[in-house]
Amino acid sequence: MKKYVCDPCGWIYDPEVGDPDGGIAPGTAFEDIPDDWVCPLCGVGKDMFSEVEE
């Protein structure tokens, strides 16, 4: 599963970790996160994230 970075603040969504505080369980692919989820650091939506090139 790919990681995604929040363009405005740089927070990285790692699917192995998820976002437990935001209700996203570890192992959840970015594509499977609900559309109303927001960055836990700055509050922007999924459309402001970019795939991390590894």
Side-chain angles (χ1 to χ4, degrees), residues 11-35:
W11 185 81
I12 294 179
Y13 176 76
D14 183 344
E16 292 183 14
V17 177
D19 176 23
D21 292 340
I24 308 300
T28 303
F30 188 80
E31 296 81 7
D32 296 334
I33 296 173
D35 288 336

Side-chain angles (χ1 to χ4, degrees), residues 17 23 26 28-29 36-37 41 50:
V17 177
T28 303
D36 61 353
W37 176 84
L41 199 57
S50 298

